[in-house]
Amino acid sequence: MASHRLGAVMSDKLSLMIDLERCTGCKSCEAACKQSNALGPHTYRNRVMWFSDENNVEVEQDDTNAPPAFLDFLTVTCQQCERPACLRACPVNPKAISKDPDTGVVAINENRCTGCGECATACPYGAIGYNAEDHHAVKCDLCAHRREDGNGPACASVCPTKAIQFGKVEDHLAYAAENDREVLDNDHFLQKPSTVYLKRKADQGLSQADHAARHANQAPPKLLTDHKVRRNLTSEETLHTYQKADREVLDRAEVTTVPGGCNICFNGCPIKFEMRDGQVTNIFGNEASPIFQGRVCPKSQMTLQTYHSKQRLLTPLKRVGERGEGKFKPISWDQALDEITANLKDIRAKHGADTLAIQAGSRTGVLNLMGAIPLFGNLWGTNNIATTEPFCDLGKIVALEATQGSTLLANTYTPEDIGSAQLYVYFGDNQAETRPVNFGLLNDWRLKNNARMVVVDPRMTATAAKADEWLAIRPGTDMALGLALIHEILTAGLYEQDFCDNWMVGFEEWRDFILDQQYSPEWAAPITDIPAQSIQKLAREIAEADGAMLMLSRGVNQHTNSAQTNRTFMFLAAITGNYGRQGGGFFNVSSEPDWQTPKIPAERTPDRRPAISKNPAAWVDAMLGDDIYPIKALITGNNPMGQWPDLNKSRRALKNLDLVVHMDLYQNATSDYSDYVLPIATGIEKGGTTRFAEDRRIVWNDRLIDPPGEAKSDHWVWIELGKRLGFEDILKDEFKDPRKLWDDVVRPSTPDIQGITIQRLLSKPDRCIRIPMRTEDASEIDTLYLEGSTASGFPQGTRFPTKSGKLEFYTDDLIAKFGDMGFSPLPEFYSEEASTIPLPHVTSDTENVVSPFFHNATYAKSGGIQPSEKAALPAQGFDTELVTGRPPAPHFHSWTHYMWQAQEMWPELFCQIHPSKADALSIKDGDKVRVSTEYGEITVRAWRHSGIRKSAIFIPIGWDERQPFHPEKSVNHLTGLKLDPISQQPNLKLTLCKVEKY
């Protein structure tokens, strides 16, 4: 331990305490530092480095796909040394570097600094940065300007995981002692640093030599250390609050703070907007939130960069070249809307109203997804309306409605609920990177309560890096694992008999089926690549824990067995008593109310055919003229030409349409295939709600600033189009006011949110309210479905919102619904045809049927389960499992690729590959590799990482060829369109591929 060394530091010295067990490498601290200190590209006061094992490691486990691996993160910043080398090295007279005798903080006088670089050379911690434009050094001074105002450093204020704490050295050491945490000895250079680093729990008790040996094979990936790829990031991209001159002017203006929510991802974290002269100058977390307490991820803060981005669309554009060429000319809004209207009328006259398809996504906002767009679609007469839900969690939605009768998840992020669990098990959920703030809460509770965490994932993610155990499952076999866990619990008699008898319909049928099929751990082991002993151990842990949270996400959802796999894990949660209780439950990201479409008069509702598909990517055949009826026009937001699977075919389909309209913040790959590109406002430029978070929160944003140029809100566009089509009596002009649209259209339509008025939202200091709330005087509900409670909208005493009031796994209604699609509600195992071993998989009929699983009439193809005698495609050299998913925390789909700082943090499209596989292909870390499938090929940069199955690679989503800084072909050039017949969720998590050195 290093406490003796730190004991020599005077007790009133200020410092940071950095907990390496809590840090997940999200880089939120970097984002906070740059916005708070007006730092542009290439200039740092702190940085977060990732360290992974890039060399092969000898395997000790039976499972050769799960070798020992480490993934660590280190915040590099000034150590505020007692004997600072930078101060001694500074040659300027008087010195440009000083040390405060009271606080011990070392600071640079940037006006004196000549930029000689002696301090940077002298610092043994690499903590001195450089501003090349103003020619001076920069370093952390613990945010002196914030401390003058009574605040702590920006990094500590936002850290989603509480990994960074600010205070006095003596208090940090006392915390370490009280919590039995060892302090990392980082004084190898006799500088007496003040920063307190708490060791990883796995490193506690190791000698300095053993600690060094344990991490000897770790190194940052070339992705993070190669600065050549960041040369195109210049100060011209920063603008406004990141430019020191602009910031100094703005800082003289009066400050106001307005609460709101982040509008990028579905988690809607509470934030506060610091306003000066009508401009947003800072975005930080909102301390008024009782749970989040000011924590935010980097994306929330970097939305600041969207409001003054040079890349924003400023005026409507009309195509002047061929589709795909990206050639446009600016036009007026009136011309754009008039011409779009004329095209729509012509298409309706020739082909029918329902040949128009509309897709919108998270960027569009709830006001449009559940208000303006359904109104327009119903008045126009098309069922072909989709969100991005079919790519994200539609399998979960279908499973929830079938099993518990509602899409509302039960649990909440409170110490009494999720925080009280004894066991957290993640199945295909990389929460540390997809929802860093929520993971920070959960991980903090885990450490405080000495709870256990297990992660089931084909690769060691940032989440798995914090777990007590990582199980490297074969992609697509989570259902087999779930069935084996259930089998073990049933045969060992570890299930909760009372819950099974009183609160489940179909328990006996499922029990008998699973036992008859012999879905044992021994059966599952060769399928999942997880040893039978590990499955047995996990089953007993789940059954015996006083509260087990089963955390699922896209790794489970994005498969052709999506709905049935979700139902399997719901059954697992139920039989172990982890359903409808605090500290235990089934959880799968995002929790929405049971939406109902805004009503319009029956005489204004045109007849229409069922939708071609619930999944918009499955519209492609109709666009090419090969389905039950054609699709001739598409109005879309977001970036489907970067996100839809089988992009080569999808792009051919868009070229075949009569009309394509793209509404977005930036030009992206979809823009190039469009006839009209419309500039759209975002977040506080338009006002409205965020999406609904997984713990059932909704957050409101008022309109605070004007959008750039001629950009308009999405609902303004739909109302203006409606006006030209004669819908103005229902799609009213007054609904351009987001408050009116919420209170008069969206809220009254859905009972679960009828009590959430604008007035009530604005009365909350964090602008957050948790659903369901059916009346204006109702109280917020924490955990749902508790024993003795009544489900919202149901008769007194009805615990679950189903016909029976119980969880339903096997009923006559389910037999009929599943039967219509060629399946049984019993959990017969199947996986993906694209697997390195032969597995049963789904087959689809060619005939369309109307699916019984959706509220709006929707065609689907029924199917069945096909046994497999051989693995698919190995003879063609496709011998590697391609897994796709979200990149690290600073990125979210296409959106963040237009934020210069997200590009600085994680610029390049990469491929994680195991060192043994890389060695066989002569691939070094940072090399370019070619990845090909039966659908296409792309080139990516290699990241050697022993924390991934030897038979797999991982490539993240979000890149496309149209992005301004680091354009790359989307990974969806490699994926195909295979759908779950039950939910129409596509398989995006397993494609067989070939990897070659480029």
Side-chain angles (χ1 to χ4, degrees), residues 20-245:
L20 300 179
E21 184 67 25
R22 282 180 165 84
C23 180
T24 59
C26 73
K27 296 179 179 277
S28 187
C29 55
E30 280 189 34
C33 183
K34 287 212 171 189
Q35 66 163 319
S36 180
N37 293 287
L39 303 178
H42 316 295
T43 305
Y44 299 91
R45 291 188 175 203
N46 71 350
R47 293 195 71 183
V48 178
M49 298 302 297
W50 284 44
F51 294 87
S52 63
D53 289 309
E54 67 169 75
N55 299 311
N56 204 353
V57 181
E58 288 299 320
V59 178
E60 297 178 357
Q61 293 105 313
D62 294 333
D63 178 15
T64 57
N65 265 310
F70 305 110
L71 184 62
D72 285 307
F73 318 98
L74 179 68
T75 300
V76 179
T77 187
C78 178
Q79 306 289 296
Q80 314 301 339
C81 298
E82 182 73 11
R83 303 176 60 248
C86 59
L87 175 58
R88 297 198 303 274
C90 180
V92 179
N93 189 15
K95 287 183 178 290
I97 300 179
S98 62
K99 179 178 174 63
D100 189 295
D102 297 321
T103 64
V105 176
V106 181
I108 293 176
N109 185 329
E110 296 176 355
N111 294 321
R112 288 184 186 171
C113 180
T114 62
C116 68
E118 292 294 331
C119 58
T121 302
C123 176
Y125 300 105
I128 307 289
Y130 186 67
N131 186 319
E133 293 190 341
D134 296 332
H135 306 290
H136 61 72
V138 295
K139 66 174 291 298
C140 172
D141 58 6
L142 299 179
C143 284
H145 62 293
R146 287 176 56 90
R147 287 188 285 116
E148 287 178 2
D149 295 335
N151 299 313
C155 60
S157 74
V158 301
C159 180
T161 62
K162 286 189 175 179
I164 303 178
Q165 298 288 321
F166 169 66
K168 294 182 178 180
V169 175
E170 62 176 350
D171 294 334
H172 296 327
L173 295 174
Y175 172 89
E178 291 168 6
N179 291 274
D180 195 26
R181 298 295 301 281
E182 291 184 14
V183 178
L184 183 68
D185 186 354
N186 62 332
D187 191 15
H188 310 311
F189 311 99
L190 305 179
Q191 306 297 303
K192 295 185 178 179
S194 294
T195 304
V196 176
Y197 285 94
L198 301 183
K199 284 185 179 182
R200 289 288 306 268
K201 288 177 66 178
D203 291 338
Q204 296 216 145
L206 295 179
S207 67
Q208 189 165 324
D210 289 342
H211 184 277
R214 184 176 190 265
H215 298 278
N217 288 324
Q218 288 185 305
K222 292 291 192 300
L223 297 159
L224 290 181
T225 58
D226 184 356
H227 297 293
K228 289 184 292 185
V229 299
R230 297 171 174 82
R231 286 178 179 170
N232 59 351
L233 300 175
T234 68
S235 61
E236 293 179 0
E237 303 295 340
T238 60
L239 303 174
H240 194 46
T241 192
Y242 293 91
Q243 291 277 20
K244 182 159 285 189

Side-chain angles (χ1 to χ4, degrees), residues 777-790:
D777 58 352
S779 300
E780 291 186 56
I781 305 172
D782 287 335
T783 311
L784 298 180
Y785 318 131
L786 295 173
E787 189 166 8
S789 67
T790 297

Side-chain angles (χ1 to χ4, degrees), residues 21 90 92 123 186 207 309 444 615 620 641 700 776 793 798 811 816:
E21 184 67 25
C90 180
V92 179
C123 176
N186 62 332
S207 67
S309 171
D444 183 50
N615 192 304
V620 166
M641 290 302 98
W700 180 263
E776 295 182 27
T798 305
T811 65

Side-chain angles (χ1 to χ4, degrees), residues 41 69 267 279 313 371 376 440 562 638 736 804 812 818 878 990:
N267 213 45
Q279 306 275 348
L313 285 164
F376 180 92
S562 178
N638 292 27
K736 291 176 181 176
S804 65
D812 290 343
F818 278 89
F878 299 117
L990 177 58

Side-chain angles (χ1 to χ4, degrees), residues 443-457:
N443 195 44
D444 183 50
W445 291 321
R446 172 183 78 99
L447 295 172
K448 288 178 178 177
N449 300 333
N450 198 30
R452 181 168 162 78
M453 182 188 296
V454 179
V455 171
V456 180
D457 200 293

Side-chain angles (χ1 to χ4, degrees), residues 819-995:
D820 286 349
M821 301 307 300
F823 289 82
S824 165
L826 295 172
E828 183 179 353
F829 170 70
Y830 67 96
S831 181
E832 306 295 354
E833 182 179 9
S835 179
T836 52
I837 65 170
L839 292 174
H841 54 273
V842 67
T843 60
S844 296
D845 296 334
T846 56
E847 295 297 319
N848 285 293
V849 298
V850 176
S851 172
F853 287 99
F854 305 119
H855 299 287
N856 291 335
T858 303
Y859 283 124
K861 289 181 170 59
S862 59
I865 299 174
Q866 173 70 44
S868 183
E869 298 179 357
K870 62 179 181 178
L873 304 176
Q876 301 176 42
F878 299 117
D879 60 353
T880 302
E881 301 154 351
L882 167 63
V883 179
T884 71
R886 284 272 302 279
H891 278 305
F892 186 80
H893 298 291
S894 297
W895 194 341
T896 51
H897 289 269
Y898 298 81
M899 298 174 182
W900 61 266
Q901 194 179 7
Q903 287 296 297
E904 184 178 48
M905 292 172 172
W906 287 98
E908 296 179 278
L909 183 64
F910 61 84
C911 164
Q912 281 186 337
I913 183 171
H914 193 275
S916 64
K917 188 172 190 68
D919 286 343
L921 298 170
S922 300
I923 294 171
K924 298 178 181 178
D925 192 56
D927 282 352
K928 281 283 189 178
V929 298
R930 178 189 294 112
V931 182
S932 56
T933 70
E934 60 180 311
Y935 306 103
E937 69 174 45
I938 64 173
T939 58
V940 292
R941 200 162 186 195
W943 174 357
R944 290 169 60 107
H945 176 37
S946 60
I948 189 168
R949 289 169 52 83
K950 291 183 178 182
S951 57
I953 62 170
F954 169 79
I955 301 176
I957 61 175
W959 277 257
D960 72 39
E961 308 94 320
R962 193 65 171 79
Q963 291 163 1
F965 300 114
H966 299 97
E968 298 281 0
K969 290 180 72 173
S970 167
V971 69
N972 284 313
H973 285 280
L974 305 179
T975 58
L977 183 62
K978 303 287 186 181
L979 297 181
D980 173 12
I982 306 302
S983 68
Q984 299 193 9
Q985 183 104 40
N987 166 33
L988 296 174
K989 283 292 185 283
L990 177 58
T991 307
L992 290 184
C993 70
K994 181 192 305 181
V995 184

